[in-house]
Amino acid sequence: MIIGEPAHLPDGPDRGGPAQPLLSVRDLVKHFPVKGKGLFGKGAVVRAVDGVSFDIRKGETLGVVGESGCGKSTTARLLMHLIKADSGEMVFDGEKVGADLDLTAYRRQVQMVFQDSYASLNPRLTIEESIAYGPQVHGVSAAKARAKAHDLLARVGLEPGRFAGRYPHELSGGQRQRINIARALALEPRLVILDEAVSALDKSVEAQVLNLLQDLKDEFGLTYVFISHDLNVVKFIVDRVMVMYLGKVAEIGEGPAVFGAPRHPYTAALLASMPKMDPDARSAEAPLTGDPPNPINPPSGCRFHTRCALAEPVCSVQEPPLAAMEGLQEAACLMALPGSGHSRAPAPVEAAA
Amino acid sequence: MSLSAAIGQTPSPSPVVDAAVVRSPGYWTGVLRRLSRDPVAMTALVVIVLLLLMAIFAPYIAPADPSKGSMLRRLKPIGFPGYPLGADELGRDMLSRLIHGGRLSLLMGVTPVPIAFVIGSLLGITAGYVGGLTNTLIMRTVDVFYAFPSVLLAVALSGALGAGLTNALVSLTLVFVPPIARVAESVTTQVRGLDYIDAARASGAKAGSIIRVHVLGNVLGPIFVYATSLVSVSMILASGLSFLGLGVRPPEPEWGLMLNTLRTAIYTQPMVAALPGVMIFITSIAFNMVSDGLRSAMDVKS
């Protein structure tokens, strides 16, 4: 089942070649003002995303993990330009978004799948109308858009004859999420942001959808940003992984490297908190205690020092930059930064306790 | 033979849209089906249709001239020979006057609501979708009107505009714009936060297209239900304006006005004096019941 007529939505040219990152994000900042301080009170802000930089390489799956409230979903919405960033820039395949590449053209190449499969489908539209809407916005004729919707339904494993004329409430969560994926693919994007796209599905359906995502990626040459709090799923699907903590990148690197040898104590703690299949390996006490600090007033220095077992006085003073290490792994920890003043600093130290 | 041929064809979905797509009944089909199974709402609907027919064909139905009085037959009781529902303070036939009165009463009760529905929805949906400063400007202006009790506002507005049918209609419309705008704003704000609106924005659609395709279909239903519930309020307010002399002028028959002119007869002919009120009551309760039925018909989750 091949997608018919890919010609009517011309693909953006692959300008920079394979070495050029598909999307390069620099110093992305988004602060949300907090209400309740009175009319003239000093405006407090939630530092939801506070200076995040990373690259998404062509054809990879970049996982984004972290606790609730660490800025994962805000980052996704910023990438999608659903909310406006306070500062920072994005370069999509060599073109600056908003300057060289206008927003409409950018949005055609970047699509998103949301967590809530029901809320992300208009209850008054049939499945085919929902899928065909995007292409029609970009000038594809109604008949062609409908034909495309039918092809995509078949591609995501839903028989077009049975499902095209149905309404979202008549379908199961897994079916709806397949439809959301089909809708995202209807614009023939190059980058798909999956914001907790499988988190609300039950395990067997989740596995099916993950396999579908892998197949679609190979077939259409997609690049994924996979946001999840489920580390097992992330481990299964991603090529590289980015760990976020309180609006900042804590660690980023190749999946096996980060999962095998985490350099940031937060990553180590997250990994240690994963449920174990082996009863002997189960941890008796929680590796991380308490809630993350308030992002309205984040801790000074390293934001993780309040919960870090290896924190030293210097950690509350100096904010660690993302330090590159071997294997293209980067960690924002003073223990990874030579000469930072931390007793374990000079040589990179195994952070996992 | 035909079966195997059919099976052989299924796995190759043609890009041309086929006619064999299973179509689910649309949302409104379901609403109408549920509404048609609601006995109370259907009875009320029949009552409204009868009232409308009565108003439209009043000259043919009414047994007598509604404005022809007789000084000898003032304030006759119900069942008086030649006057099935009695006679009013000027000896005019009550039945004919009630039938003719439905024309103006229904006009004044029903007209302001659709007009206010259009204006209020426009304001509310704009405020809800755009948000921010636009929302504040529109909604705070609306709140100023909302601060007055609706009766007071209607009386003040038509008092300022002057008595007369048109002015009464204008003031009633203005009274109903703020509450409809409020409902529209809150429903739109709610819908706007849903992921399918974000998904539509992410597909690069412009605001106009998103409102038309994704917002209106999900927002107009609840606003419409609310608006239908205002018809009965409008009926009563319109009668009230006429009662106060701000709507219809005598000798035009109108239920509210009739209630006013007959109020002095409440001790001599209480049954006759109450008749216009009974008509207002029946009409407004019928509209309320249809509105209730519509709400529960639309409220089914699945």
Side-chain angles (χ1 to χ4, degrees), chain A residues 77 82 133 138 146-147 161 170, chain B residues 15 17 22 24 198 201 203 209:
Chain A
R77 276 163 198 269
L82 288 174
Y133 177 73
H138 289 273
R146 255 162 57 108
E170 299 173 299
Chain B
V17 174
V22 179
S24 295
D198 275 348
R201 289 175 59 214
S203 72
S209 164

Side-chain angles (χ1 to χ4, degrees), chain A residues 121-141:
Chain A
L121 287 170
N122 184 340
R124 298 281 181 272
L125 295 189
T126 58
I127 301 313
E128 71 178 1
E129 286 168 340
S130 276
I131 300 174
Y133 177 73
Q136 281 177 271
V137 163
H138 289 273
V140 175
S141 75

Side-chain angles (χ1 to χ4, degrees), chain B residues 161-238:
Chain B
L161 293 169
L165 182 64
T166 319
N167 286 344
L169 288 179
V170 169
S171 65
L172 283 175
T173 306
L174 284 174
V175 165
F176 292 125
V177 167
I180 291 177
R182 265 214 164 173
V183 171
E185 190 258 356
S186 87
V187 185
T188 308
T189 309
Q190 212 178 342
V191 166
R192 198 200 180 294
L194 293 174
D195 285 344
Y196 62 82
I197 301 291
D198 275 348
R201 289 175 59 214
S203 72
K206 300 274 182 292
S209 164
I210 296 175
I211 290 180
R212 188 165 44 80
V213 178
H214 296 287
V215 176
L216 285 185
N218 292 290
V219 152
L220 284 185
I223 309 174
F224 182 70
V225 167
Y226 179 70
T228 53
S229 78
L230 288 178
V231 171
S232 61
V233 182
S234 177
M235 287 275 316
I236 291 165
L237 276 182

Side-chain angles (χ1 to χ4, degrees), chain A residues 229-300:
Chain A
H229 59 261
D230 187 338
L231 292 167
N232 282 312
V233 170
V234 171
K235 208 169 168 179
F236 167 75
I237 198 169
V238 304
D239 300 310
R240 287 199 310 146
V241 61
M242 176 166 91
V243 182
M244 288 187 70
Y245 185 75
L246 275 184
K248 280 191 177 288
V249 178
E251 183 162 2
I252 184 168
E254 301 288 333
V258 173
F259 282 108
R263 296 307 176 117
H264 196 289
Y266 177 63
T267 313
L270 264 190
L271 293 174
S273 70
M274 274 165 78
K276 308 285 192 305
M277 291 301 285
D278 179 2
D280 294 332
R282 277 178 192 156
S283 44
E285 53 196 86
L288 260 184
T289 51
D291 291 326
N294 192 343
I296 294 176
N297 213 344
S300 61

Side-chain angles (χ1 to χ4, degrees), chain A residues 43-58:
Chain A
V45 290
V46 174
R47 297 163 179 271
V49 171
D50 205 11
V52 166
S53 304
F54 58 94
D55 288 343
I56 301 165
R57 298 177 192 160
K58 281 174 186 160

Side-chain angles (χ1 to χ4, degrees), chain A residues 1 154 159-161, chain B residues 3-14:
Chain A
M1 301 174 191
E159 202 187 301
Chain B
L3 183 69
S4 63
I7 291 169
Q9 277 165 3
T10 355
S12 58
S14 97

